[in-house]
């Protein structure tokens, strides 16, 4: 039996994991207490990131995705709704997790990000699923636009791109 607050920790659980589709030795892991761990040697050595500027401490790593285009690049989505903070938090690394830069720029101030996807053909085309719909960026996250086209204002929890059909699935 599991006894809350007696035999288990409420933090330190892996909530996101991504393996590079380019190099299987590169892994990115996120936890429910805001830590990111990255390895480029299949897990023998890890880089731990625990304080990304602009992200409140103990913020849940909602999702993490290794790029389809560059083995050095990955994207991470943080979600701090459990602390009453509904701001968007999306960050990108281009050095295998050593440093992270924010790319949530002009996303609405209120609307937690749930997921992110990178187009399989154009590395600068990104999609972000939020609590209030889908957003896209054609410049790698510098600017975001709300996707309309008949899509209702709903929470987007997952995004998949069917490469053969060139379809976006929400």
């Amino acid at each position: 039996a599991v006894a809350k607050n007696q035999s288990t920790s409420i933090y330190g659980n892996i909530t996101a994991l991504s393996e590079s589709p380019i190099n299987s030795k590169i892994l990115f892991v996120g936890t429910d207490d805001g830590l990111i761990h990255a390895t480029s040697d299949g897990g023998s050595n890890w880089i731990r990131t625990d304080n990304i500027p602009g992200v409140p401490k103990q913020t849940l790593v909602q999702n993490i995705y290794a790029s389809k285009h560059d083995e050095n690049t990955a994207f991470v989505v943080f979600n701090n709704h459990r602390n009453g903070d509904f701001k968007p938090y999306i960050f990108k690394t281009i050095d295998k997790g050593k440093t992270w830069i924010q790319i949530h720029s002009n996303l609405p101030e209120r609307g937690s990000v749930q997921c992110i996807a990178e187009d399989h053909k154009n590395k600068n085309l990104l999609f972000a699923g939020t609590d209030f719909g889908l957003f896209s960026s054609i410049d790698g996250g510098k600017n975001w636009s709300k996707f309309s086209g008949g899509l209702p204002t709903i929470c987007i929890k997952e995004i998949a791109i069917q490469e053969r059909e060139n379809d976006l699935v929400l």
Side-chain angles (χ1 to χ4, degrees):
V2 175
K4 185 176 179 186
N5 299 326
Q6 293 180 12
S7 63
T8 61
S9 167
I10 60 170
Y11 293 116
N13 298 298
I14 293 174
T15 55
L17 171 69
S18 185
E19 175 185 1
S20 169
I22 300 167
N23 181 345
S24 64
K25 292 187 176 194
I26 298 174
L27 303 168
F28 295 93
V29 174
T31 63
D32 61 351
D33 55 354
L35 301 179
I36 299 172
H37 299 272
T39 182
S40 59
D41 60 10
S44 295
N45 298 288
W46 291 85
I47 295 170
R48 175 184 160 160
T49 303
D50 62 0
N51 189 17
I52 295 177
V55 179
K57 290 192 180 296
Q58 302 287 319
T59 299
L60 169 79
V61 176
Q62 183 77 26
N63 280 298
I64 196 161
Y65 300 98
S67 172
K68 299 175 182 182
H69 300 283
D70 179 4
E71 70 178 41
N72 298 308
T73 300
F75 304 90
V76 64
V77 172
F78 291 93
N79 188 319
N80 198 30
H81 73 276
R82 67 182 174 202
N83 293 315
D85 175 5
F86 299 97
K87 294 178 185 170
Y89 297 101
I90 307 175
F91 290 79
K92 175 182 178 179
T93 182
I94 57 172
D95 57 12
K96 295 181 185 164
K98 293 181 184 93
T99 60
W100 295 85
I101 55 171
Q102 72 90 355
I103 61 167
H104 46 262
S105 60
N106 66 320
L107 283 171
E109 185 70 17
R110 183 168 165 77
S112 299
V113 179
Q114 300 291 329
C115 55
I116 189 168
E118 177 186 50
D119 186 68
H120 61 287
K121 293 180 181 175
N122 179 351
K123 70 178 183 175
N124 290 314
L125 177 56
L126 302 174
F127 301 96
T130 74
D131 285 349
F132 301 105
L134 179 69
F135 290 80
S136 63
S137 173
I138 59 171
D139 56 13
K142 292 180 184 135
N143 298 288
W144 294 89
S145 299
K146 184 161 181 163
F147 183 88
S148 53
L151 181 68
T153 301
I154 59 171
C155 181
I156 307 294
K157 294 270 192 182
E158 293 291 334
I159 300 171
I161 297 175
Q162 293 180 334
E163 294 181 16
R164 188 184 71 200
E165 291 82 10
N166 208 31
D167 282 339
L168 185 67
V169 180
L170 312 173

